[in-house]
């Protein structure tokens, strides 16, 4: 279902999460992919343009930076798609013991009869005493089809293949039908919404007074669903839509978004030929499923840094005061504690984009970080505050290596990395750097240049 839209969305979110910083080019690429997929799903071109413009506009907001920006854009992207699909879930309000009636209408082959039995099974499973009433007097095999579906799904079907007046069929069973909590009424379609169909539905509506008149539309017609839903709305005042054949077309996105543009909420979607291939339409879970994620929170978590803000602020002031010692370095390493967090951290460090650090090296890097942790634990306070003395006195090197189960070369490397970071802090590049606020592009480039040259994995 909507495979290309789903993969475009996934790709877009991953691109945002994986970017070192969100620049215009990244956004352009994400928006372009998304728009292409939306058009492929037959979503109206104006809507497609609108959504692209909105994302680009939000992305250009200079006030929001860094991780916050990633979250912001991710949320906007998510919410815009959600909005396209209609935001909230709509539910039919039916009451047991009340003889509710739902009449299904629609054109030929839209899936009325199939949906009648799907809907009946759906509510029968939820404890409604449910019946189906077949009022399609035009197609010769219509009543047999409904009876067969009734047998398959153990739902009582009321039909009369010899009667040519749909109202007469209703009147024949009217009393019997009063025993049911819910009656689903299948009607005849036409090739188009012509006068005959309109007057037939109006007539049935007057006499039967169903609680809901639902239009069934096949997803294959894509954005043309808007026109159809509007016409049924105007002429026979439908309450909502069920979209069928979601499984058999790439245009389902067009049908869904088009109905949302009318005043006809999509209550259910049909996703196959069997009675069980039927579900309520909930835009939120629909998107989640397309993305293979639980919810928006899960999505945002993906882009969030695991590094906590408070210690980032603390780091900033240490850096500014030039008081950044090995203990602080250790604190930073601790925060990179797990693989996920480390790769996230990497994204934040200028010049160390994922592209430059192959995954297999990340693994090795984690071992190294653990060794460095142990090494720092084996140092004296004096050594921590002034690591240069370790380099000068090889006896210290040997002692620390032995005490921490590391090698002297591990420790030399640790000190080298620490010095590099400290050196950075004294070069002035970090003067207005606040990691919790993210980095400006200019800062990024500057630091990346310096960092890029020095860091070796
Ligand atoms: N793949 C698929 N086929 C469906 C779905 N709903 C209905 N159909 C098929 O569409 C065809 C027309 O359905 P039918 O209920 O007879 O349409 P009606 O003329 O509106 O009553 C039948 O072959 C159904 O099996 C669906 O959700 N998925
Ligand atoms: Mg039918």
């Amino acid at each position: 279902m909507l495979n290309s839209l789903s993969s475009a969305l996934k790709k877009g979110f991953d691109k945002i999460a994986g970017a070192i910083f969100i620049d215009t080019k990244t956004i352009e690429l994400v928006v372009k992919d998304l728009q292409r997929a939306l058009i492929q799903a037959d979503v109206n071109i104006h809507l497609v343009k609108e959504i692209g413009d909105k994302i680009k506009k939000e992305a250009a907001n200079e006030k929001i930076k860094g991780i916050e920006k990633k979250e912001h854009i991710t949320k906007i992207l998510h919410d815009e798609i959600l909005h396209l699909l209609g935001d909230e879930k709509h539910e039919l309000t039916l009451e047991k013991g009340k003889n509710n009636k739902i009449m299904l209408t629609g054109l030929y082959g839209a899936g009325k009869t199939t949906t009648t039995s799907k809907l009946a099974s759906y509510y029968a499973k939820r404890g409604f005493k449910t019946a189906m009433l077949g009022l399609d007097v035009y197609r010769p095999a219509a009543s047999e089809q409904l009876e067969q579906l009734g047998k398959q799904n153990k739902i009582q079907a009321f039909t009369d293949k010899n009667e040519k007046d749909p109202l007469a069929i209703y009147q024949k069973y009217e009393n019997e039908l009063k025993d049911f909590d819910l009656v689903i009424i299948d009607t005849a379609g036409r090739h188009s919404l012509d006068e005959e169909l309109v007057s037939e539905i109006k007539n049935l509506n007057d006499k039967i007074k169903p609680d809901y008149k639902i239009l069934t539309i096949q997803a294959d017609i894509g954005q043309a669903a808007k026109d159809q839903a509007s016409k049924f709305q105007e002429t026979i005042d439908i309450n909502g839509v069920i979209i069928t054949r979601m499984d058999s077309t790439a245009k389902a996105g067009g049908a869904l978004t088009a109905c949302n543009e009318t005043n006809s909420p999509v209550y259910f979607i049909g996703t196959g030929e069997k009675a069980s291939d039927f579900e309520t339409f909930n835009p939120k879970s629909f998107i989640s499923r397309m993305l293979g994620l639980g919810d928006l929170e899960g999505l945002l978590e993906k882009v969030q840094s695991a590094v906590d803000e408070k210690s980032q602020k603390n780091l900033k002031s240490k850096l500014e005061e030039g008081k950044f010692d090995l203990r602080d370095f250790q604190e930073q390493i601790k925060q990179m504690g797990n693989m996920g967090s480390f790769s996230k951290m990497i994204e934040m460090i200028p010049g160390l984009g994922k592209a430059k650090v192959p995954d297999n090296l990340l693994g090795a890097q984690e071992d190294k970080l653990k060794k460095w942790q142990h090494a720092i634990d084996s140092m004296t306070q004096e050594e921590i505050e002034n690591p240069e003395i370790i380099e000068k006195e090889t006896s210290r090197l040997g002692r620390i290596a032995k005490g921490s189960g590391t090698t002297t070369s591990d420790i030399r490397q640790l000190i080298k990395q620490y010095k590099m970071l400290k050196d950075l802090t004294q070069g002035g590049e970090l003067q207005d750097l606040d990691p919790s606020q993210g980095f400006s592009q200019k800062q990024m480039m500057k630091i990346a240049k310096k960092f890029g040259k020095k860091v070796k994995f």
Side-chain angles (χ1 to χ4, degrees):
M1 219 190 322
L2 291 175
N3 288 337
S4 66
L5 183 57
S6 150
S7 64
L9 273 175
K10 273 188 213 153
K11 229 168 80 186
F13 285 125
D14 282 348
K15 230 176 229 166
I16 292 170
I20 302 171
F21 50 86
I22 303 290
D23 57 0
T24 337
K25 214 174 136 209
T26 310
I27 293 295
E28 290 278 347
L29 282 175
V30 169
V31 167
K32 214 163 143 192
D33 281 350
L34 177 70
Q35 288 184 318
R36 196 181 299 132
L38 287 170
I39 288 168
Q40 230 178 326
D42 202 36
V43 174
N44 180 286
I45 188 86
H46 297 293
L47 294 177
V48 173
K49 195 179 170 316
E50 247 173 60
I51 197 172
D53 288 348
K54 180 133 190 221
I55 294 165
K56 282 189 220 165
K57 190 175 152 234
E58 293 288 341
N61 184 346
E62 281 295 327
K63 280 190 201 126
I64 309 167
K65 285 182 181 143
I67 290 294
E68 233 178 280
K69 183 152 207 158
K70 290 185 182 188
E71 283 177 26
H72 185 64
I73 307 263
T74 303
K75 190 169 182 316
I76 293 211
L77 197 52
H78 175 277
D79 289 355
E80 286 299 309
I81 299 288
L82 181 66
H83 192 57
L84 267 188
L85 293 174
D87 295 308
E88 295 306 319
K89 177 182 176 181
H90 297 272
E91 274 173 295
L92 301 176
T93 42
L94 306 173
E95 241 177 84
K96 278 175 202 157
K98 241 197 82 187
N99 195 228
N100 308 271
K101 294 183 217 107
I102 302 173
M103 186 159 80
L104 295 188
T105 169
L107 302 182
Y108 274 139
K112 294 176 295 301
T113 308
T114 314
T115 306
T116 298
S117 85
K118 284 178 175 180
L119 203 52
S121 305
Y122 178 90
Y123 282 107
K125 279 198 190 110
R126 282 155 184 80
F128 285 78
K129 191 181 173 201
T130 307
M132 304 190 288
L133 175 64
L135 300 188
D136 182 354
V137 296
Y138 293 87
R139 266 192 51 218
S143 52
E144 276 104 30
Q145 188 191 356
L146 196 66
E147 276 165 31
Q148 206 158 32
L149 286 167
K151 268 190 205 122
Q152 272 169 28
N153 302 303
K154 298 188 178 62
I155 308 282
Q156 200 169 341
F158 293 86
T159 62
D160 184 344
K161 64 177 167 206
N162 300 314
E163 179 56 65
K164 288 297 161 214
D165 174 12
L167 201 55
I169 302 179
Y170 171 69
Q171 280 155 348
K172 178 175 168 185
Y173 297 119
E174 197 174 355
N175 270 330
E176 267 183 89
L177 289 172
K178 286 198 175 114
D179 283 345
F180 291 85
D181 293 328
L182 177 62
V183 182
I184 319 269
I185 302 155
D186 183 25
T187 63
R190 298 292 190 284
H191 286 298
S192 66
L193 181 58
D194 56 19
E195 268 174 47
E196 202 187 39
L197 180 56
V198 171
S199 82
E200 179 176 313
I201 300 291
K202 276 187 172 162
N203 191 31
L204 290 174
N205 187 46
D206 285 347
K207 305 291 169 11
I208 302 175
K209 295 190 174 52
D211 302 275
Y212 287 101
K213 268 170 289 175
I214 305 286
L215 172 66
T216 53
I217 298 184
Q218 57 204 85
D220 321 40
I221 68 167
Q223 58 179 302
K226 183 181 174 186
D227 198 36
Q228 200 177 109
S230 309
K231 278 195 184 136
F232 273 81
Q233 175 108 49
E234 282 158 26
T235 48
I236 53 170
D237 197 24
I238 53 154
N239 309 91
V241 175
I242 292 177
I243 299 185
T244 64
R245 302 167 74 98
M246 288 287 295
D247 54 305
S248 62
T249 175
K251 288 186 171 182
L256 285 172
T257 54
C259 288
N260 178 44
E261 279 196 282
T262 70
N263 291 319
S264 317
V266 178
Y267 288 109
F268 292 91
I269 50 177
T271 57
E273 303 206 23
K274 294 196 300 287
S276 54
D277 298 329
F278 190 64
E279 48 192 86
T280 53
F281 179 62
N282 182 355
K284 276 189 194 132
S285 53
F286 191 76
I287 294 184
S288 298
R289 216 160 0 129
M290 272 205 292
L291 295 172
L293 283 162
D295 48 22
L296 176 61
E297 265 171 47
L299 189 59
L300 290 181
E301 242 167 57
K302 240 181 115 175
V303 295
Q304 264 161 14
S305 165
V307 179
D308 79 89
E309 228 172 275
K310 210 171 132 200
S311 72
Q312 284 295 311
K313 286 225 166 90
N314 193 20
L315 167 67
K316 188 201 166 204
S317 53
K318 284 250 170 88
L319 287 174
E320 278 170 358
E321 292 162 28
K323 277 190 193 152
F324 184 75
D325 65 19
L326 265 182
R327 187 63 75 194
D328 301 311
F329 187 58
Q330 188 185 33
E331 187 52 39
Q332 287 298 297
I333 294 170
K334 254 188 206 154
Q335 292 209 3
M336 300 179 188
N338 60 56
M339 178 70 183
S341 148
F342 183 66
S343 34
K344 271 178 197 149
M345 189 79 179
I346 283 275
E347 284 169 25
M348 290 181 68
I349 300 177
L352 296 186
K354 265 189 189 145
K356 290 188 185 166
V357 189
D359 279 348
N360 55 351
L361 278 184
L362 281 180
Q365 188 61 19
E366 264 187 276
D367 288 343
K368 201 186 282 176
L369 292 180
K370 270 194 202 116
K371 281 186 188 167
W372 289 354
Q373 296 262 34
H374 296 313
I376 295 171
D377 283 337
S378 294
M379 292 177 192
T380 64
Q381 190 56 31
E382 191 192 7
E383 287 162 349
I384 284 174
E385 281 168 17
N386 188 12
E388 285 80 10
I389 57 171
I390 303 171
E391 281 184 313
K392 281 179 203 140
E393 298 172 39
T394 44
S395 63
R396 286 181 190 265
L397 262 179
R399 193 204 82 239
I400 298 165
K402 215 171 154 200
S404 58
T406 59
T407 64
T408 53
S409 102
D410 287 333
I411 296 160
R412 278 188 210 281
Q413 216 180 357
L414 158 67
I415 295 170
K416 207 171 127 204
Q417 296 276 311
Y418 158 75
K419 277 181 23 189
M420 178 203 70
L421 200 58
K422 192 170 161 89
D423 179 35
L424 244 181
T425 70
Q426 281 152 6
E429 281 92 345
L430 300 182
Q431 239 151 41
D432 12 273
L433 187 78
D434 183 350
S436 69
Q437 293 300 306
F439 310 95
S440 83
Q441 190 165 341
K442 220 166 140 196
Q443 280 172 328
M444 278 288 200
M445 302 304 282
K446 215 164 146 190
I447 300 166
K449 230 169 154 185
K450 187 152 185 170
F451 234 126
K453 266 189 227 145
K454 293 191 177 182
V455 178
K456 282 207 177 65
F457 282 89

